[in-house]
Amino acid sequence: MLLSELWFVLIAVLFIGFFFLEGFDFGVGMSTGLIAKTDRERRTLINSIGPFWDGNEVWLLTAGGAMFAAFPHWYATLFSGFYLPLVVVLLLLIGRGVAFEFRSKMKQQRWRKTWDIIIVVASTLLPFLFGVVFATLMKGLPIDENMQMHAGFLDIVNPYTVMGGLSVTLLCLVHGLLFVSLRTVGELRERALRLAKKVMMPLVAVLAIYALLTYLMTDVFAVRGWALWIMVLLGATALALAAYFIRQQREGWAFGMTGAVIAIAFASVFIGLFPRVMVSSINSAFDLTVYNAASGPYSLKVMTIVACTLLPFVLGYQIWSYYIFRKRLNEQHHLEY
C-alpha cells in the first residue's frame, strides 16, 4: 500500500472515530431540550458527557490536521470552497463548548436558559452540516482543472445533501439517547429509551431514502458496487438489531449497534470515493485523488513515523478516561464539569 493510500485510510478512521464519539455528544446535547424537565436534569445530562466531549473533538482536529499535512490540495480545495459553512461549524463548536462551561457560572434562570438554547441549537446544526458536507463529497462539486471549487448555493444545499444532513442528525440523536440511558438511572433513563424507540422508525425511513438517493444520484455504487452493497446489508442489520435491543431495554447492545451504523455509514463514504477524495461534477478528469492531492513521499514518511509513535498514547488516554468515568449518574451528581 502506498503511503498516500495509507493516510487516506487513517483520515477515514479519524472521521469515523469522531462521528462515533462526538455523535453521542451531539445526541446528548439535543436531548437536553427533549427529555430534561428541570435544570438539575439538564445538568445531569451535561455531566454525562462532561469528561468526554472535549476529548472527542480532538478526533476532528486531528483529522483536519492530517488532511492538511497528507493531502494539502484536498484540504485547500475543501476548506476554501466550504469557507462559509465551515466558519459556521467552527462558531457552533465554540458556542457549544462555551455553553457547557458557562451555563452554571450564574444562577439566573435567563442566563442558564440562553446557554441551554445554544447547546440544543449547536448540537442539532453541527451533525446536520457535517452530513451535508459529506453528502456533497459523494454527489460531486464544480471543481476545475486548477483544483478550484466554484460551488453555488444549490450545489451544496439540495434534496440529496439535505437528506444526508437529516440522516446524520437523527442517527446522532438516537446514539446520544442510548448513551444517556447507559449513563443515567431512573426517569431520565426511561425517557431516553422511550424517545429512542419513537425516533427509530423515522430514522429507518430517512436512511432508506438516503441510500436510494445515493444509488440514483451518485456514482459510488457504480464505482464500488459490491463493496457498498455489503455495507448497506451490514448497516441494515445493525439498524434492525439496534431497534430490537431498544425494545428489550438492552441499551448497551443498542448503543453498540447505532455506533456500528455510524461507522458503516461513514466508512461507506470513503469506500465509495476511493481513490478519489473529491468528485468534480464538471469533468471526472478534474477529480482530486489520493495521488494528485497528496504531499511528497518524504513528508508522508515522516508523518507515518510520528503517528505510529504518538497514536498509542492518545488512544490509551481516551480508553483510560472512559474507564474512570464509566459509572452511571443520577440527579445527585450535579458537579459542574
Side-chain angles (χ1 to χ4, degrees):
M1 178 185 289
L2 296 175
L3 287 179
S4 59
E5 296 172 348
L6 173 63
W7 274 96
F8 178 80
V9 173
L10 290 176
I11 290 171
V13 170
L14 287 169
F15 275 114
I16 292 168
F18 168 73
F19 285 108
F20 180 93
L21 297 172
E22 192 69 4
F24 67 72
D25 281 356
F26 293 148
V28 173
M30 286 184 265
S31 73
T32 60
L34 296 172
I35 63 173
K37 295 182 179 180
T38 66
D39 182 77
R40 185 176 287 271
E41 287 183 345
R42 280 186 286 275
R43 184 71 256 172
T44 301
L45 292 177
I46 293 171
N47 284 355
S48 71
I49 58 172
F52 313 125
W53 67 266
D54 47 357
N56 293 342
E57 290 182 359
V58 171
W59 288 74
L60 177 64
L61 298 175
T62 307
M67 187 188 297
F68 171 78
F71 300 100
H73 297 297
W74 181 14
Y75 180 92
T77 302
L78 180 67
F79 279 72
S80 61
F82 282 105
Y83 184 81
L84 183 58
L86 291 177
V87 167
V88 174
V89 166
L90 179 61
L91 293 175
L92 289 171
L93 286 170
I94 293 171
R96 185 169 172 270
V98 171
F100 285 147
E101 300 293 340
F102 276 28
R103 73 172 299 277
S104 297
K105 300 304 180 183
M106 297 176 64
K107 294 184 178 181
Q108 287 86 342
Q109 189 65 25
R110 185 175 180 181
W111 170 270
R112 295 192 173 189
K113 185 67 174 178
T114 300
W115 293 116
D116 288 339
I117 291 172
I118 292 174
I119 290 171
V120 174
V121 171
S123 297
T124 304
L125 288 181
L126 280 166
F128 180 81
L129 291 174
F130 280 122
V132 167
V133 169
F134 275 85
T136 61
L137 295 182
M138 290 195 294
K139 189 175 186 297
L141 291 157
I143 300 171
D144 63 21
E145 67 276 11
N146 297 315
M147 299 185 180
Q148 297 292 322
M149 191 173 90
H150 307 280
F153 180 78
L154 293 180
D155 291 313
I156 299 174
V157 181
N158 52 68
Y160 177 72
T161 60
V162 169
M163 190 60 66
L166 185 59
S167 299
V168 176
T169 304
L170 289 178
L171 189 52
C172 288
L173 174 59
V174 174
H175 196 47
L177 288 169
L178 292 173
F179 184 80
V180 170
S181 69
L182 278 173
R183 291 278 288 157
T184 60
V185 297
E187 184 61 26
L188 265 181
R189 173 180 176 271
E190 295 299 324
R191 280 186 229 146
L193 283 172
R194 284 197 299 267
L195 184 56
K197 185 177 180 179
K198 290 178 181 178
V199 178
M200 278 302 297
M201 285 307 297
L203 173 61
V204 171
V206 168
L207 287 176
I209 294 171
Y210 183 63
L212 177 62
L213 291 177
T214 300
Y215 178 79
L216 296 174
M217 301 180 70
T218 74
D219 67 352
V220 295
F221 278 92
V223 174
R224 291 282 182 269
W226 65 270
L228 284 187
W229 283 118
I230 292 174
M231 299 300 279
V232 169
L233 179 61
L234 290 174
T237 302
L239 198 61
L241 287 173
Y244 170 77
F245 287 128
I246 289 173
R247 288 195 298 270
Q248 298 297 314
Q249 295 194 354
R250 298 173 67 180
E251 59 266 37
W253 284 98
F255 178 77
M257 290 301 103
T258 54
V261 175
I262 290 174
I264 291 167
F266 284 95
S268 299
V269 173
F270 289 95
I271 291 172
L273 285 175
F274 184 82
R276 303 165 298 179
V277 293
M278 292 187 75
V279 178
S280 173
S281 59
I282 298 174
N283 190 324
S284 60
F286 304 152
D287 291 347
L288 274 67
T289 69
V290 296
Y291 310 114
N292 64 18
S295 293
Y298 181 76
S299 297
L300 293 174
K301 182 178 179 180
V302 172
M303 288 171 55
T304 304
I305 295 172
V306 173
C308 291
T309 303
L310 297 180
L311 186 60
F313 295 98
V314 176
L315 292 177
Y317 167 76
Q318 284 223 297
I319 293 170
W320 175 82
S321 66
Y322 277 94
Y323 175 78
I324 292 297
F325 296 102
R326 66 190 182 278
K327 293 184 178 180
R328 291 179 181 266
L329 303 177
N330 56 48
E331 291 187 32
Q332 302 303 316
H333 291 82
H334 56 275
L335 297 176
E336 298 170 9
Y337 288 110

